[in-house]
Amino acid sequence: MQIVEVRLKFDSRLYTLFNNKFDLKKGDFVVCESAVGESYGQVECVKDFHEKLPDDAKNILRIANEADAKHYEDVVQKSREAVKTTEELVKRLGLEMNVVNAEYSFDLSKVVIDFIAEDRVDFRDLIKELVSTLKTRIELKQIGIREQAKIVGGIGICGRPCCCSSYLKDFEKVSIKMAKVQGLALNPQKISGACGRLMCCLSYENEFYSDMSKNMPKINSEVETNDGKGTVVYQNMLKETVSVKFVDNDGTTTIKDYNLKDIKFKSQVKPSNETVLSAKEENRKQVENKENLQKSAKNINKSTKIDQKTSKSNQNPGKTSEKHNNVKTQEKDAKPNKTDKKVNFNQKKPNRKKFHLGKESK
């Protein structure tokens, strides 16, 4: 089994595929599986693989020949025509969306159309028109500005092609804090890419700079050197040096560079996870001990109250029994006597008149 890095023609990024049938080498053109369907690409790297295949593994279908190369040219031409027809239909239907790209699969069974829109778009009528004109399966996909730059491509401020369109597979999170840690000027024109968002390359060295910033004194902080105490005015994290400013008695200032080994300062290193966890455990134990002490104190108070009550009842047993008897007699007096009401069963019932069909009968 081999791992093959293939650069697809519709996309400049590298895709990892698996091969167990063909003898491939760098530069060969192949037809392979992709997210769109069948695709046409060029082999960039081949490596051996001896592990279990993932569930979503894509394979090499066959080595491309001249007929496949000519067919790929037809696919590219049809993709360009699909972009033009989609733009015409969008204008005719009055939809607020911009078509970026259209991509046919190598077997022409599906076409994916990428577009940009600020809001959600109801493109049901557009799909009906596209199906009737293109006569294939249609997939409309809304993308963002960074995805547009990846598809269209461009040149960055460094003079090289954009990273997203050349080799990046996924977009990583980039924040303005990364620029602050690296000491860059917070100018949007200098830290923004062709897409108008923060440059992806800010995340490449962020881990190194964030680690170094913990081991270096902060700017405007006071440090001790062989020449006395001074104030840090500049950090060079790559060389691990700092520039320190000294102020003489007459007001003159001098700036000198020092290595980190030659100065003394308060370290900015935060406590490790183990120390934080141990501190949390100690606090938890202290809280549990306090709760246990409170519970034991409550139990002692309850037991003392019960002992006091039992001692009082033992000292005056007659009073408690009298109270108990008085309560019982009061309850008896309060209950009504069922034998108070006497019923005479021999008493005759009063005569009642009977009426039958409007006539009176005695």
Side-chain angles (χ1 to χ4, degrees), residues 8-11 31-41 71-86 89 101-114 129-139 141 151:
L8 303 183
K9 285 297 181 179
F10 69 84
D11 194 346
V31 178
C32 58
E33 296 176 348
S34 67
V36 180
E38 291 185 3
S39 298
Y40 182 81
H71 179 67
Y72 175 72
E73 294 178 359
D74 296 336
V75 171
V76 173
Q77 185 62 30
K78 284 190 175 183
S79 299
R80 292 173 182 170
E81 293 175 358
V83 173
K84 292 180 180 179
T85 55
T86 306
L89 291 172
N101 187 34
E103 175 191 334
Y104 268 99
S105 62
F106 191 72
D107 55 358
L108 301 176
S109 62
K110 180 182 178 182
V111 59
V112 180
I113 300 171
D114 300 321
E129 295 289 339
L130 288 172
V131 170
S132 61
T133 54
L134 300 179
K135 296 180 180 180
T136 186
R137 200 169 54 158
I138 308 296
E139 181 182 345
K141 186 170 68 174
I151 295 171

Side-chain angles (χ1 to χ4, degrees), residues 1-6 8 15-22 24 30-35 37-41 43 49 52-63:
M1 181 65 68
Q2 292 178 336
I3 292 178
V4 183
E5 298 285 340
V6 178
L8 303 183
Y15 286 84
T16 302
L17 304 172
F18 296 90
N19 172 43
N20 58 354
K21 297 180 181 179
F22 310 102
L24 298 175
V30 295
V31 178
C32 58
E33 296 176 348
S34 67
E38 291 185 3
S39 298
Y40 182 81
V43 177
F49 184 75
K52 185 179 179 181
L53 288 175
D55 297 332
D56 57 347
K58 305 293 184 182
N59 298 318
I60 303 292
L61 298 177
R62 64 180 183 273
I63 298 175

